[in-house]
Amino acid sequence: MTSHPLRSRNWFGRQDLDGFVHRSWLKSEGFSDHVFDGRPVIGIANSWSELNNCNAHLRTVAEAVKRGVLSAGGFPLEFPTISLGEVLMKPTTMLFRNLMAMDVEECIRAYPLDGVVLLSGCDKTTPAMLMGAASADVPALMVTGGPMLRGMWRDEPLGSGTDNWRLWAERRAGRVSDEEWCEIESCLSRSAGHCMVMGTASTMASMAEALGMTLPGNAAIPAPDSRRLVLAEMSGRRIVEMAREDLRPSRILTPEAFDNAIRLEMAIGGSTNAIIHLLALAGRAGVPLSLTRFDELSRSTPFLLNVAPSGKYLMEDFFYAGGVPAVLRELLPLLHSGAPTVNGRTVAENAGAAVNHNRDVIRSLDLPLAAEGGLVILRGNLCPEGAVLKQSAASAHLLSHRGRAVVFEDHHDMLRRFDDPDLAVDESSVLVLKQVGPRGAPGMPEWGAAPIPTKLLKRGVKDMVRISDARMSGTSYGTVILHVSPESAVGGPLALVREGDEIELDAAARRLNLVVDDIELTRRRAAWTPRPLQFERGYGRLFLEHVLQAHEGVDFDFLRGRTPVRIEDTAGPSHL
Ligand code: FES
């Protein structure tokens, strides 16, 4: 095999004082001379953390990657990255996605790496690593940690998030006892891995696979299944070849790859968060992508995957049914089948032999769950730059709806008042939540699925139209309109909504309008003033000064594009 010149030689191949220093100091870890003989140096970027349960098993995955790297003649070096744990990190991991992307990008650039294996799992860790790797543009391949085994309460399967939102509503309505609630707590998350519905983690793992950035089959293998370690070992072997071939993300992350990922997103009823992450990643890869493209592809991509929160099965069932390759095989007539992937084969070559083992889990193109994709992009005077609705997880009777606004001025206001017995709300009301977008919250938390007031839950109301500039968990469901752009904190029309205003949703026509005349809106706009910014220093201030709006992916303005590392940039003395 012809081998591309390796950038690590600029550290370890030199016979001057710097080469001596680079080798000598690394030998303190116990490495022999052999590791400096010109073999590719492979970084294993590990987002392992005990603070992030979804990624807590990644040290084991890293060991399997190392086996693969060593057996293919590479030199593996594992290094830590920031880890963003969705459950414990406050106020929201989204505030730190770009920070993690910067960490990954700069470590790849600064260290003597010829290739990188990205180990991710929990929601934001996957897009952050892909964004960083895309900007650094060193050969890179991703291995995700895999979903947990399905939750089981007695003989009832439970899905992460989806079932705890449902059971929490049942408990508030008085239908789940203290003892049952305590029992459920121990039954839901019973193995290593990330959430096991088609939430954001599973969706982003699927996106990475459809983009061509993982080996085929990666996304759905359960975390405790031995085949995940087999795939990790194979990924370790493959990255050594990729380093020699100089197969960089810029050759994988093409416009065709993004189309393929969006098609898959629509077919699997994936998380709304994937829209934001794909927009940000496209910005890094220099691929023009707008919300319009998501809607174009949604209209012509059938919804195929019967997995929660948009269906009845869980990720474990998806794996047994054939996983992402089986869905891609169904979608092949709609895909750019010649798009390259990290294993050197095209999408069609990878998916062509896939088998669909359960047609109730993965539907066929001619017998889909719905004719259109799971997500729609709305436009109108309430969201001039767009808003997102997951129609596959919404209530059919609310997809065309006109109701009066119940307005919460921010998240605290909502928490204080949503259960007030005197709140003027009924099932036809539209719950509006402001100040929860990228700059407003800040960090665009997953607060968009506002709770249904208890007095309505007790009357059997299970869903209402809810609108905000926030995101929602990929595990959530309901008629929840998200990512309203521009956001209220920068004076978007959402800021102008008042109690009792009529709001009209027509999902089929992709419309979302505030039924208030332009003269009145102009008057309200003139009276509107922004709130003071929440951070005066540190990373929070950087975030507020540079974050882009939802329709642009919530990346920082100065991080779009890539600065590929070059061998000639790595020369220079070490500083001791
Ligand atoms: Fe990590 Fe759900 S909490 S994926």
Side-chain angles (χ1 to χ4, degrees):
M1 182 188 302
T2 48
S3 185
H4 189 268
L6 299 174
R7 64 190 290 262
S8 62
R9 299 309 293 155
N10 234 24
W11 279 261
F12 301 129
R14 300 158 61 153
Q15 296 309 317
D16 57 8
L17 177 60
D18 285 331
F20 166 88
V21 168
H22 298 150
R23 291 186 298 273
S24 176
W25 261 249
L26 202 55
K27 281 181 177 179
S28 71
E29 295 183 35
F31 296 119
S32 71
D33 287 329
H34 297 293
V35 299
F36 304 117
D37 63 1
R39 63 188 69 198
V41 179
I42 303 299
I44 302 172
N46 198 344
S47 54
W48 167 88
S49 168
E50 287 184 338
L51 287 168
N52 180 0
N53 64 283
C54 303
N55 295 25
H57 62 304
L58 289 182
R59 301 297 308 272
T60 311
V61 177
E63 288 305 315
V65 173
K66 279 183 198 171
R67 283 201 303 270
V69 172
L70 290 167
S71 67
F75 175 25
L77 290 168
E78 182 185 355
F79 65 96
T81 70
I82 304 172
S83 193
L84 311 179
E86 203 62 30
V87 170
L88 298 185
M89 202 171 197
K90 309 289 180 189
T92 168
T93 51
M94 190 62 189
L95 188 61
F96 307 108
R97 183 201 62 182
N98 300 343
L99 182 64
M100 182 172 177
M102 291 168 78
D103 174 4
V104 171
E105 176 182 349
E106 299 308 335
C107 279
I108 293 174
R109 177 173 291 112
Y111 280 118
L113 304 177
D114 303 306
V116 186
V117 178
L118 309 164
L119 300 188
S120 68
C122 199
D123 293 13
K124 308 302 179 298
T125 57
T126 295
M129 285 187 141
L130 289 173
M131 289 161 67
S135 286
D137 205 26
V138 162
L141 172 162
M142 174 165 272
V143 179
T144 56
M148 297 174 196
L149 298 175
R150 65 168 74 86
M152 286 300 291
W153 177 39
R154 300 170 184 171
D155 65 343
E156 183 186 339
L158 295 180
S160 318
T162 307
D163 280 309
N164 51 270
W165 313 137
R166 178 180 63 79
L167 290 165
W168 177 240
E170 292 293 301
R171 178 164 165 73
R172 285 169 54 218
R175 293 189 282 268
V176 172
S177 70
D178 288 351
E179 292 72 24
E180 287 173 325
W181 187 244
C182 184
E183 201 180 322
I184 290 164
E185 184 178 297
S186 300
C187 297
L188 188 65
S189 308
R190 64 190 179 100
S191 81
H194 58 68
C195 292
M196 70 339 229
V197 297
M198 189 50 79
T200 304
S202 300
T203 302
M204 289 313 300
S206 302
M207 295 300 95
E209 190 169 334
L211 285 163
M213 289 296 292
T214 72
L215 293 188
N218 168 77
I221 304 172
D225 193 300
S226 58
R227 285 164 286 187
R228 176 148 300 281
L229 299 183
V230 172
L231 182 134
E233 184 179 315
M234 289 164 59
S235 298
R237 290 187 62 82
R238 176 59 192 151
I239 190 65
V240 177
E241 295 171 354
M242 287 174 65
R244 292 188 172 122
E245 295 164 8
D246 198 33
L247 180 53
R248 299 174 182 226
S250 52
R251 285 171 53 198
I252 307 290
L253 297 174
T254 61
E256 291 74 24
F258 281 91
D259 273 1
N260 289 344
I262 296 168
R263 289 276 192 202
L264 184 72
E265 160 78 343
M266 298 305 164
I268 63 176
S271 164
T272 46
N273 289 322
I275 294 181
I276 286 177
H277 299 319
L278 288 175
L279 287 167
L281 181 60
R284 299 301 189 96
V287 170
L289 184 62
S290 74
L291 285 175
T292 306
R293 189 63 177 154
F294 286 84
D295 205 51
E296 286 169 1
L297 297 179
S298 174
R299 287 176 189 273
S300 57
T301 308
F303 170 43
L304 303 180
L305 189 65
N306 197 3
V307 168
S310 300
K312 70 176 183 183
Y313 294 103
L314 296 169
M315 286 300 289
E316 200 176 332
D317 307 300
F318 182 33
F319 172 58
Y320 302 139
V324 167
V327 183
L328 292 177
R329 176 152 192 209
E330 299 289 349
L331 290 174
L332 269 180
L334 303 175
L335 299 178
H336 299 286
S337 56
T341 74
V342 286
N343 71 351
R345 294 158 62 95
T346 64
V347 168
E349 287 167 344
N350 285 335
V355 178
N356 183 348
H357 298 290
N358 187 332
R359 291 195 172 274
D360 193 38
V361 178
I362 303 170
R363 300 294 179 87
S364 58
L365 268 190
D366 52 0
L367 213 59
L369 289 156
E372 283 195 351
L375 306 178
V376 298
I377 307 302
L378 304 169
R379 305 269 183 184
N381 70 350
L382 196 48
C383 52
E385 296 289 357
V388 172
L389 170 67
K390 188 173 190 175
Q391 63 176 351
S392 59
S395 301
H397 72 281
L398 291 173
L399 290 175
S400 174
H401 182 78
R402 185 165 170 150
R404 293 200 175 275
V406 172
V407 177
F408 301 109
E409 292 299 329
D410 56 36
H411 191 239
H412 294 297
D413 183 35
M414 186 197 74
L415 293 179
R416 200 168 52 243
R417 292 196 300 120
F418 84 95
D419 253 350
D420 182 341
D422 295 330
L423 187 71
V425 64
D426 63 28
E427 57 266 48
S428 72
S429 302
V430 175
L431 304 182
V432 173
L433 176 57
K434 302 179 184 176
Q435 286 289 134
V436 284
R439 285 167 60 92
M444 205 181 178
E446 293 183 336
W447 294 341
I452 309 286
T454 303
K455 65 181 179 182
L456 297 181
L457 282 178
K458 287 187 170 160
R459 292 201 336 239
V461 176
K462 292 206 157 74
D463 194 12
M464 298 171 71
V465 175
R466 288 158 273 180
I467 303 176
S468 75
D469 40 21
R471 299 173 301 113
M472 76 170 179
S473 164
T475 64
S476 294
Y477 54 91
T479 312
V480 184
I481 297 163
L482 304 153
H483 311 180
V484 167
S485 188
E487 64 173 304
S488 53
V490 299
L494 192 68
L496 310 181
V497 181
R498 292 190 180 166
E499 194 81 9
D501 285 349
E502 287 216 317
I503 292 176
E504 190 170 42
L505 164 67
D506 184 343
R510 307 298 199 251
R511 275 205 314 267
L512 179 66
N513 281 316
L514 179 61
V515 190
V516 173
D517 65 54
D518 289 345
I519 296 171
E520 171 61 12
L521 287 178
T522 305
R523 196 180 61 73
R524 291 183 191 179
R525 182 174 304 287
W528 179 82
T529 51
R531 292 187 182 188
L533 298 179
Q534 289 197 34
F535 293 109
E536 291 184 351
R537 62 167 298 282
Y539 173 75
R541 178 169 168 177
L542 181 81
F543 185 95
L544 289 174
E545 288 177 351
H546 294 284
V547 72
L548 297 167
Q549 287 291 291
H551 69 280
E552 298 167 308
V554 197
D555 202 359
F556 292 157
D557 50 10
F558 63 89
L559 288 176
R560 288 166 81 86
R562 64 169 78 93
T563 311
V565 295
R566 302 179 308 169
I567 285 185
E568 53 269 36
D569 293 337
T570 60
S574 298
H575 300 281
L576 294 175

